[in-house]
Amino acid sequence: MLDLTASSADITRTICDIPSVSGDEGHLADLIEEAMRAYPHLDVLRDGDTIIARTTQGRAQRVVIAGHIDTVPINRNVPTRDVVIDGEDVIWGRGTVDMKAGVAVQLKLAAELVAPRVDITWIWYDHEEVDAELNALTRLARTRPELFAGDFAILGEPSGAEVEGGCNGHMRAIVRTRGVRSHSARSWVGENAIHKAAPILERLSVYEARQVPVEGLVYREGLNAVRIRGGIAGNVIPDVCEVEVNYRFAPNRSVAEAEAHVREVFEGYEVEVIDKAAGARPGLDDPLAQEFVAAVGATPRPKYGWTDVARFSALGVPAVNYGPGDPHLAHHDEESVPVAQIEDVERGLRAWLS
Amino acid sequence: MLDLTASSADITRTICDIPSVSGDEGHLADLIEEAMRAYPHLDVLRDGDTIIARTTQGRAQRVVIAGHIDTVPINRNVPTRDVVIDGEDVIWGRGTVDMKAGVAVQLKLAAELVAPRVDITWIWYDHEEVDAELNALTRLARTRPELFAGDFAILGEPSGAEVEGGCNGHMRAIVRTRGVRSHSARSWVGENAIHKAAPILERLSVYEARQVPVEGLVYREGLNAVRIRGGIAGNVIPDVCEVEVNYRFAPNRSVAEAEAHVREVFEGYEVEVIDKAAGARPGLDDPLAQEFVAAVGATPRPKYGWTDVARFSALGVPAVNYGPGDPHLAHHDEESVPVAQIEDVERGLRAWLS
C-alpha cells in the first residue's frame, strides 16, 4: 500500500524502487489504483495500466495533470540511493528524473488537495518510453477523448522545476542516393552511391539551424543525420546509400512546411519522410497559463524535445511541462534528482491549485 | 567415371552438372582423383579435396597449371544448357565461366599430354570462392610449399581466352570519425560524427585513380567506399561514423606503400587497415612467359581483380591467368561460356606444351 502521507521525496524513492520498465507497469499501476480508491474526493477509473483520478467539484475550469509511470530499462541503477552532489541532497537511480519524482508530487497532491480551486483530472499512464503507437495516451485519445477535456494541461516531465512551454515538432526522413553495383576491382563499371552522398553530408555540416521566437519563447531547431548506411560487401561498389535525417522544427512551422523545408535542403535527392509529428505552441498567452506561471514563480523556457504536451495541444488544450529533474539526465544511467527540486514543484503546484 | 576422351566442351558440361559449391567439392574431387590415377604418366596425390597430378619427365623446366573446382552457390542455373547467343554456341550455367571450363581443358590435357615439353604440376583445388583462410592453396603453401615449385604458373581463371598478367593488390580500411553523442532534440550539446564524414566522401568522389604501366601492361587502380555506417537510433546524434574503403593498387606498389597512400588521402582521420594483399607483377618479362604468350597467340592484358596468381608471385613464381569465359560474368546468374573460347584455350595450351 503506497503511503501518500509520506514526503514527496520518500514517495519518489518508493516508486522508483518498484521497477516499471515499459510493458511492466502493472504492479505500480495496481498500487496507484489502490491508493487513489481510498480517497472519496476522487473518481477513479482504470484503462489498461493507466489510472485516471478526477475531482468533480463543479469548478468553472478543469486542469489535466499527467505523468507517465514507465521508465527506460534499468541498468544497475535500482534501488535508488541518497547521495550528495555539489553539497546538494539528490536521489540517484532509474526513473528519478524521467519521471517518477514528478509522478510522486502528483500522487501526493491528488491525495491531499480535496477541494482545489479548479477541477483536476490526474492521469498516470503507461508506455511513454516506447513506440508512440503503444503509448496509452494514443489509445485513450482514440477511445476516450473526453478524458483530455480541460482548459489547461500540465505534464510532469522533467524541466528543472521551471516551466517548459510547448515543444518543437519533429520529422525523420531518408535522403537517398542511387548508383550502379559492380565488382570493386572494376569500379569504373559501376557508380558509387556512397560517393554521391558527399553533398548531402556537406549540406548538413554547413546547415545553420534557426532560433525562432514563438509567443515569447525562443525555439532552437536542428537538422541532423542520425544514421547512415550503404554497401553490401567489402568488394562491391554500392548501389544505394541512405542518410536518415532528423529535423526538429519550431512550433510555428507546420508539418507540411517542415517537409517542404527538408525537401528544399536536399533538392536533387530522393527524400522519403518516415516519421513526423507537429510541435506544440507554448500556450503561455492563455490566462490560466499566465496565472500558473506566476503562482509557481517559475521562468518559462522552451521545450526542445517532443513530449506528450503536443497531444494536448493538438486537442486544443494549452499544455506545459513542469517537473523536477534536469532533462539532460533523462535516460542517463547516472539519472538523479535534487530533493529541493521535488519540494519546489510540490510547493509550486500546491500554491496554484489551492 | 569421368571420360576424358570426350571434348573439353563435353567435359565442361559434365563437371558443371556435378554441383561443387565451396565446401561440397568431395564428390567431384573423387571423380578427378579416380580419373587421374588411370594415367601411368602422372604421379597423383590428394590433400583434402585437392588433387595434384605431376609429370616426372626430368625436363629442365616445370610449369604449374592450376584451377579451382568449387563454385559460388547455384541459383537455378544447374544443370547447364546449350544456348546460342549472338550466333555463338555457348554453355550456360553455374561454373561455366568460374571456372569449370578452364578445369575441363586442364583435365583433358593432363590425360593426353603424356610427354610434354616441360614437366607439369596440375593442381585442382577447393575453397577458392570463400575466405582466403579456407582456400586449399593457403593450407598447401604452409604444409607442402614444394608443390608450388616451378618456373612459371598458369591459373585457368576466366580471361576471355586472352592472357591476363599479374593482378592488382587490394586493401580495405576503415576511415573513422568520432563525435559526441546527444539527444537529437539538443543536437548542439553533441558533435555529429556523420556530418564530420562529409570531407571523406568528398575526397573519394574527386579522387582520380591512377592507370599504371607495369612491365608493359596498364593497371587501373580504384579507391572506393564500399560500406558506410553510423548512428544508433533515430533520436540520437551519432558519436561514430565508419567509411569502409577498398583500394585496388597496381602491382608495382607494395602493401606498405599502398597503406601510406590511403593514410595520406585520409589525412586528419583515423584509418584502420582491416585487410590487405599484395598484387602480382605480370611476370611477362620472363622468357618462359614470353614463349607462352607467343605460342597461344594471345594478347596480354592486366588482371584487375586479385586472384591466386598473387600466391605464386609471392613465392617467386611468375604467374598469369589464362582461361575461357568473360570475367565480368563470373558469379553472375547468367554465367555462360562460348564453346569457341574453350577450344581456343585447349588449342593454345596444347600448342605450347607439346
Side-chain angles (χ1 to χ4, degrees):
Chain A
M1 178 82 177
L2 286 180
D3 173 12
L4 299 183
T5 66
S7 71
S8 46
D10 275 344
I11 299 171
T12 299
R13 292 181 184 96
T14 301
I15 64 177
C16 284
D17 292 345
I18 299 167
S20 59
V21 175
S22 310
D24 197 25
E25 299 94 333
H27 180 52
L28 180 55
D30 290 346
L31 292 172
I32 292 172
E33 180 184 8
E34 181 192 21
M36 290 302 147
R37 291 206 188 274
Y39 297 100
H41 68 284
L42 294 172
D43 265 3
V44 179
L45 65 91
R46 178 170 182 154
D47 188 306
D49 285 333
T50 293
I51 312 298
I52 298 106
R54 283 179 297 189
T55 66
T56 50
Q57 307 273 317
R59 305 297 190 211
Q61 294 172 307
R62 175 170 290 277
V63 171
V64 182
I65 304 181
H68 66 84
I69 62 171
D70 60 324
T71 70
V72 295
I74 290 164
N75 189 8
R76 290 178 293 184
N77 50 4
V78 163
T80 54
R81 294 201 304 260
D82 289 328
V83 296
V84 174
I85 297 178
D86 296 337
E88 192 175 47
D89 291 325
V90 306
I91 307 172
W92 173 97
R94 174 64 73 231
T96 52
V97 169
D98 193 8
M99 54 168 282
K100 288 183 173 177
V103 168
V105 168
Q106 294 173 359
L107 293 173
K108 182 166 181 67
L109 292 177
E112 295 186 359
L113 297 175
V114 298
R117 60 180 284 264
V118 290
D119 270 316
I120 305 174
T121 301
W122 303 96
I123 304 179
W124 298 290
Y125 63 103
D126 56 288
H127 283 93
E128 192 270 348
E129 297 290 5
V130 285
D131 281 359
E133 258 315 295
L134 297 174
N135 187 314
L137 296 190
T138 302
R139 181 182 71 246
L140 291 171
R142 196 162 50 218
T143 59
R144 297 180 138 177
E146 70 282 6
L147 293 177
F148 294 81
D151 302 287
F152 187 54
I154 300 168
L155 244 79
E157 291 280 359
S159 61
E162 301 294 349
V163 173
E164 293 192 339
C167 67
N168 274 330
H170 76 87
M171 176 167 291
R172 283 186 301 133
I174 303 291
V175 186
R176 195 178 283 117
T177 60
R178 294 187 188 275
V180 176
R181 225 180 254 189
S182 76
H183 195 289
S184 65
R186 291 174 211 91
S187 52
W188 53 91
V189 174
E191 271 178 53
N192 196 310
I194 294 177
H195 296 190
K196 288 185 180 181
I200 297 173
L201 301 193
E202 176 62 19
R203 291 181 202 179
L204 283 165
S205 68
V206 301
Y207 183 85
E208 294 200 18
R210 302 187 310 163
Q211 304 206 27
V212 186
V214 181
E215 295 168 17
L217 299 184
V218 176
Y219 286 83
R220 193 160 172 181
E221 299 194 333
L223 178 65
N224 276 277
V226 286
R227 274 191 277 233
I228 188 166
R229 57 194 154 232
I232 56 152
N235 61 354
V236 176
I237 300 302
D239 60 347
V240 67
C241 180
E242 295 189 334
V243 185
E244 181 180 328
V245 299
N246 178 306
Y247 179 40
R248 304 281 175 161
F249 51 96
N252 66 341
R253 187 165 258 188
S254 70
V255 166
E257 287 164 346
E259 179 168 343
H261 179 66
V262 169
R263 290 189 183 279
E264 189 188 345
V265 169
F266 299 108
E267 205 187 331
Y269 294 92
E270 198 178 315
V271 172
E272 180 192 351
V273 173
I274 57 171
D275 191 19
K276 53 191 176 185
R281 288 181 162 270
L284 292 171
D285 47 1
D286 183 86
L288 206 54
Q290 288 175 352
E291 274 174 46
F292 164 73
V293 171
V296 304
T299 312
R301 296 191 304 208
K303 186 79 175 175
Y304 296 123
W306 196 91
T307 77
D308 281 325
V309 298
R311 297 176 190 275
F312 289 95
S313 180
L315 292 167
V317 184
V320 297
N321 301 283
Y322 178 56
D326 177 352
H328 291 85
L329 289 176
H331 302 193
H332 198 292
D333 287 344
E334 298 298 329
E335 194 176 337
S336 69
V337 66
V339 171
Q341 282 192 18
I342 303 175
E343 293 167 351
D344 275 359
V345 170
E346 181 186 337
R347 196 178 307 117
L349 278 178
R350 189 189 294 276
W352 182 55
L353 293 168
S354 297
Chain B
M1 180 82 178
L2 285 180
D3 174 12
L4 300 183
T5 65
S7 71
S8 45
D10 275 343
I11 299 171
T12 300
R13 292 182 185 96
T14 301
I15 65 178
C16 285
D17 292 344
I18 297 167
S20 59
V21 175
S22 310
D24 198 25
E25 301 93 335
H27 179 53
L28 180 55
D30 290 347
L31 292 173
I32 292 172
E33 181 184 6
E34 180 192 23
M36 291 301 146
R37 291 205 187 275
Y39 297 99
H41 68 284
L42 294 173
D43 264 2
V44 178
L45 65 90
R46 178 172 183 153
D47 189 306
D49 285 334
T50 293
I51 311 299
I52 298 107
R54 283 179 299 189
T55 66
T56 50
Q57 308 274 317
R59 305 296 191 212
Q61 294 173 306
R62 176 171 289 279
V63 170
V64 183
I65 305 181
H68 65 85
I69 62 171
D70 59 324
T71 70
V72 296
I74 290 165
N75 189 10
R76 290 179 293 183
N77 49 5
V78 163
T80 52
R81 293 203 302 261
D82 289 328
V83 295
V84 175
I85 298 179
D86 295 336
E88 192 174 46
D89 289 326
V90 307
I91 307 174
W92 173 97
R94 173 64 74 232
T96 50
V97 169
D98 192 8
M99 55 170 278
K100 289 184 172 176
V103 167
V105 169
Q106 294 172 0
L107 294 173
K108 182 167 183 68
L109 293 178
E112 295 185 359
L113 297 176
V114 297
R117 61 181 283 263
V118 290
D119 270 317
I120 305 174
T121 302
W122 302 96
I123 304 179
W124 298 290
Y125 62 103
D126 56 291
H127 283 94
E128 193 269 350
E129 296 290 5
V130 286
D131 282 0
E133 259 314 297
L134 298 174
N135 188 314
L137 296 190
T138 302
R139 179 181 74 247
L140 292 170
R142 196 163 51 219
T143 59
R144 299 182 138 176
E146 71 279 6
L147 293 178
F148 294 81
D151 302 286
F152 186 53
I154 299 167
L155 245 80
E157 291 281 358
S159 61
E162 301 296 346
V163 173
E164 293 192 338
C167 68
N168 274 330
H170 76 87
M171 175 167 291
R172 282 185 304 132
I174 303 291
V175 186
R176 195 178 281 117
T177 60
R178 293 186 189 275
V180 176
R181 224 180 255 188
S182 76
H183 195 289
S184 65
R186 291 174 211 89
S187 52
W188 52 92
V189 174
E191 273 178 52
N192 196 313
I194 294 176
H195 296 190
K196 287 185 180 181
I200 297 173
L201 301 195
E202 176 63 18
R203 289 180 203 180
L204 283 164
S205 68
V206 301
Y207 183 85
E208 293 199 18
R210 302 187 310 165
Q211 303 207 27
V212 186
V214 181
E215 296 167 17
L217 298 186
V218 176
Y219 286 83
R220 192 161 174 179
E221 299 195 331
L223 178 64
N224 276 277
V226 286
R227 272 192 278 233
I228 188 167
R229 57 193 153 233
I232 55 153
N235 61 353
V236 177
I237 300 303
D239 61 347
V240 66
C241 180
E242 295 187 336
V243 184
E244 181 179 330
V245 298
N246 179 304
Y247 179 40
R248 305 281 175 160
F249 51 95
N252 66 341
R253 185 164 260 187
S254 71
V255 167
E257 288 165 344
E259 179 168 345
H261 178 66
V262 169
R263 290 189 184 280
E264 189 189 344
V265 170
F266 300 109
E267 205 187 331
Y269 294 92
E270 201 178 312
V271 173
E272 180 192 351
V273 173
I274 56 172
D275 191 18
K276 53 191 177 186
R281 286 179 165 273
L284 292 172
D285 46 1
D286 183 86
L288 205 54
Q290 288 176 354
E291 276 174 46
F292 164 72
V293 170
V296 304
T299 311
R301 294 191 305 205
K303 185 81 175 173
Y304 296 124
W306 197 90
T307 77
D308 281 325
V309 297
R311 298 175 189 275
F312 289 94
S313 180
L315 293 166
V317 184
V320 298
N321 301 283
Y322 178 56
D326 177 351
H328 291 87
L329 288 178
H331 303 193
H332 198 293
D333 288 344
E334 298 298 329
E335 195 176 334
S336 69
V337 66
V339 170
Q341 285 192 17
I342 303 175
E343 292 167 352
D344 274 357
V345 170
E346 181 187 337
R347 196 178 307 117
L349 277 177
R350 189 188 295 275
W352 183 55
L353 293 167
S354 294

